[in-house]
Amino acid sequence: MSEQFKMVSFSRGEGRTADLSLFSEEQAAKVQRFHASFPVYKPTPLADLTQTAKALGLGAAYVKDESYRFGLNAFKVLGGSFAIGSYLAGRLGMDISELPYDKMVSEEVRAKLGEVTFVTATDGNHGRGVAWTAHQLRQHAVVYMPKGSAAERLANIQAEGADASITDLNYDDAVRLANSQAEEKGWVMVQDTAWEGYEDIPAWIMQGYGTMGYEAHQQLPEKPTHIFLQAGVGSMAGAITGFFSSLYGADRPIITIVEPNKADCLYRTAEADDGALHFVTGEMNTIMAGLACGEPCSIGWRILRANADHFISCPDYVAAKGMRILGNPMPGDQRVISGESGAATFGCVAEIMTNPELAGMKAELGLDENSRVLFFSTEGDTDRENYRAVVWDGRYPSGK
């Protein structure tokens, strides 16, 4: 096995359990109805890459293309919008089902709420979603970004009316900064990283991601045998794992979590499996900026520990490989514009299927010509300069 690839696996039936009630099909349908109340809502497409799957030695490859989500080029707005909506509904003593978009922006409701400031830390996509939602609902947002964040992503957040800035901190320290400012100034923290005493909003964010899984389930022509999910803190991975595990129970697809090896906190936590969360510290300067998180989400981890089958730590070049293949699939297949974090899982699987050094991992994952694999391309070209450098100029070639 290539030394840059590492995998740890859990066996089913070892008594690992987690409460999946927040991620049931009924709950996901409720979340989807809230999102559908926004005028810009449309389900994002599910690309069927039949010919590309065949070329890789797979039976089928389905890619949920979140570059179309709300015109924001990424899925993250699903979580931020549902969390903000749920928080505002709670302030009014209402359930989110009673407060669709048109009612939330009504003069009557706005007069009761006043202006609320929401604060978050982000590498780009989550912050843009929070800023967009705050703008749509006539509220205010403050966004802190970690060192090395792309200027384009900062500009996109500022264009939504947020007070946004790039700090000299890594992601996890930027989260701590946002939290301290929330406590000091009475702002509302909207973060998908959960910790003791801060789990309601992260849980709402995770539920918000359920719309993506719910739509995919409605669009799939057949049940997948495998689902590959990329992870930063593990909130999206936990949410989608929770949804499909609740949906299928013991017959759920084989679920694999993929992380960059420079920020593989979930892999390390799974490897230790000692009841503690294991952190990655330092700059974590991976190409997969949206996954450069060193501290797992406690809620996400509980679901993943009970329901995920494999955890893979992989090198940066697999994300670049995924970007290139999705942007240039086999003839007849739909093109998917996928950013560094969005393409991580597809690139990982493509490398495993075609690299003889990874034959053992391929066998352990059960990937072959009968496998029907579901992927989530969670972002488009949110950093267009780097996207072109990878796809046009060959930055991060395989094995480098």
Side-chain angles (χ1 to χ4, degrees), residues 192-255:
D192 60 1
T193 304
W195 56 83
E196 186 175 350
Y198 182 74
E199 292 199 337
D200 286 349
I201 286 177
W204 289 331
I205 290 174
M206 289 178 64
Q207 283 189 293
Y209 298 153
T211 288
M212 186 168 64
Y214 183 81
E215 289 178 359
H217 173 59
Q218 300 294 315
Q219 295 166 321
L220 282 164
E222 57 189 342
K223 176 186 172 184
T225 60
H226 296 71
I227 301 175
F228 282 78
L229 301 166
Q230 58 271 55
V233 299
S235 59
M236 183 281 287
I240 300 302
T241 295
F243 172 73
F244 282 99
S245 297
S246 174
L247 190 68
Y248 290 114
D251 294 326
R252 67 183 181 271
I254 296 168
I255 298 174

Side-chain angles (χ1 to χ4, degrees), residues 32-331:
Q32 187 272 339
R33 286 193 295 270
F34 169 74
H35 287 134
S37 75
F38 283 74
V40 296
Y41 172 81
K42 286 183 180 179
T44 56
L46 183 76
D48 181 351
L49 305 186
T50 303
Q51 301 306 318
T52 305
K54 187 181 299 184
L56 293 174
L58 297 169
Y62 302 104
V63 181
K64 184 70 167 156
D65 186 354
E66 288 296 298
S67 68
Y68 291 90
R69 182 67 66 187
F70 284 9
L72 297 176
N73 211 12
F75 83 106
K76 282 282 191 177
V77 66
L78 293 174
S81 61
F82 189 72
I84 289 174
S86 297
Y87 172 83
L88 295 176
R91 279 186 53 151
L92 296 170
M94 302 170 68
D95 184 80
I96 187 67
S97 62
E98 304 174 274
L99 203 62
Y101 171 83
D102 58 351
K103 190 170 182 179
M104 201 174 291
V105 297
S106 68
E107 291 298 329
E108 178 186 0
V109 167
R110 289 176 59 200
K112 291 179 180 178
L113 288 170
E115 184 177 83
V116 182
T117 296
F118 296 95
V119 61
T120 191
T122 180
D123 81 292
N125 295 334
H126 172 68
R128 189 180 185 187
V130 168
W132 179 87
T133 303
H135 180 72
Q136 292 291 311
L137 301 182
R138 318 299 194 264
Q139 304 297 341
H140 185 59
V142 176
V143 179
Y144 298 106
M145 304 181 71
K147 178 169 57 177
S149 295
E152 179 181 356
R153 290 173 177 151
L154 172 64
N156 286 335
I157 294 170
Q158 291 171 331
E160 298 295 342
D163 293 333
S165 59
I166 297 175
T167 70
D168 61 355
L169 307 170
N170 71 15
Y171 172 79
D172 298 295
D173 287 335
V175 170
R176 280 183 271 274
L177 172 63
N179 190 52
S180 68
Q181 291 296 294
E183 292 177 347
E184 177 184 328
K185 298 178 179 178
W187 297 343
V188 180
M189 178 86 163
V190 183
Q191 205 68 41
D192 60 1
T193 304
W195 56 83
E196 186 175 350
Y198 182 74
E199 292 199 337
D200 286 349
I201 286 177
W204 289 331
I205 290 174
M206 289 178 64
Q207 283 189 293
Y209 298 153
T211 288
M212 186 168 64
Y214 183 81
E215 289 178 359
H217 173 59
Q218 300 294 315
Q219 295 166 321
L220 282 164
E222 57 189 342
K223 176 186 172 184
T225 60
H226 296 71
I227 301 175
F228 282 78
L229 301 166
Q230 58 271 55
V233 299
S235 59
M236 183 281 287
I240 300 302
T241 295
F243 172 73
F244 282 99
S245 297
S246 174
L247 190 68
Y248 290 114
D251 294 326
R252 67 183 181 271
I254 296 168
I255 298 174
T256 302
I257 310 305
V258 175
E259 295 174 282
N261 55 20
K262 297 177 182 177
D264 53 1
C265 57
L266 294 167
Y267 167 85
R268 296 186 191 194
T269 300
E271 183 180 42
D273 197 23
D274 58 4
L277 298 177
H278 290 258
F279 297 172
V280 178
T281 58
E283 293 190 10
M284 296 175 282
N285 58 336
T286 169
I287 182 180
M288 295 168 261
L291 310 181
C293 309
E295 300 181 16
C297 169
S298 57
I299 309 171
W301 170 246
R302 288 196 292 269
I303 294 171
L304 295 175
R305 184 180 184 276
N307 297 283
D309 299 286
H310 309 282
F311 296 80
I312 294 178
S313 171
C314 65
D316 275 358
Y317 68 78
V318 301
K321 182 169 190 165
M323 293 165 69
R324 285 190 278 267
I325 295 174
L326 289 173
N328 302 274
M330 295 296 289

